[in-house]
Amino acid sequence: KTKLIEITALLAGIAEINTAYDAAIASADQYFTEENYTSAKAEYERAAQLKPEESYPQSKLTEITTLLAGIAEIHASYDAAIAAADQFFTAENYASAKTEYEKAAQLKPEESYPQSKLTEITTLLSGIAEINASYDAAITSADQFFTDENYESAKAEYEKALQLKPEESYPQTKLIEITALLAGIAEIN
């Protein structure tokens, strides 16, 4: 009779373990499907403790470890791309910044930051292109006026070019030259 009680208790314990194992696996599989790998890992570990001989929880734990390593690698690459892009952006190296923001956007398409920076760069580059075109047009016009000895018009165009790009020395040099020429002409008259 005591053997029967022992066997019954043993079977009840096995049934309890099986129920707990099945619940842990069901829960772990659900978390895994939802890509909640931390919770899935905890549940697979619980299942593996309940039934160490089962290979399924171990294979899922290995899979999660691989997935988490891949995710960590993506995060690290994304963070590195954003850091590089932000540095290039601050240095006004927009072409390199654009490349790095594009890389970041490919790594994490759901992130809005790289997309907003790419839009900002596009706007800045079109503004820079517009300034460059206006500057080039002003210089071309000024050079033609200068060649034609129409110094007042040349002066106005060089001043316009200088306003567009104050860092450029060419219009400044030409304005000094025109000032000297106009002074010489005034002296003659």
Side-chain angles (χ1 to χ4, degrees), residues 55-142:
S55 63
Y56 180 71
Q58 289 305 326
S59 70
K60 293 305 276 186
L61 285 167
T62 302
E63 189 177 344
I64 288 171
T65 301
T66 304
L67 285 167
L68 290 175
I71 290 168
E73 195 176 309
I74 288 171
H75 286 310
S77 296
Y78 173 84
D79 291 344
I82 290 295
D86 286 345
Q87 276 188 319
F88 285 131
F89 188 88
T90 301
E92 296 180 8
N93 181 346
Y94 299 121
S96 295
K98 183 179 181 203
T99 301
E100 292 298 318
Y101 286 127
E102 285 170 343
K103 192 186 300 177
Q106 284 179 335
L107 289 165
K108 288 189 177 184
E110 72 282 1
E111 291 290 333
S112 62
Y113 181 72
Q115 284 309 120
S116 68
K117 293 305 274 185
L118 285 167
T119 302
E120 191 177 342
I121 287 171
T122 301
T123 303
L124 285 167
L125 290 177
S126 82
I128 290 169
E130 206 172 290
I131 288 170
N132 286 343
S134 296
Y135 174 84
D136 291 345
I139 291 295
T140 301
S141 181

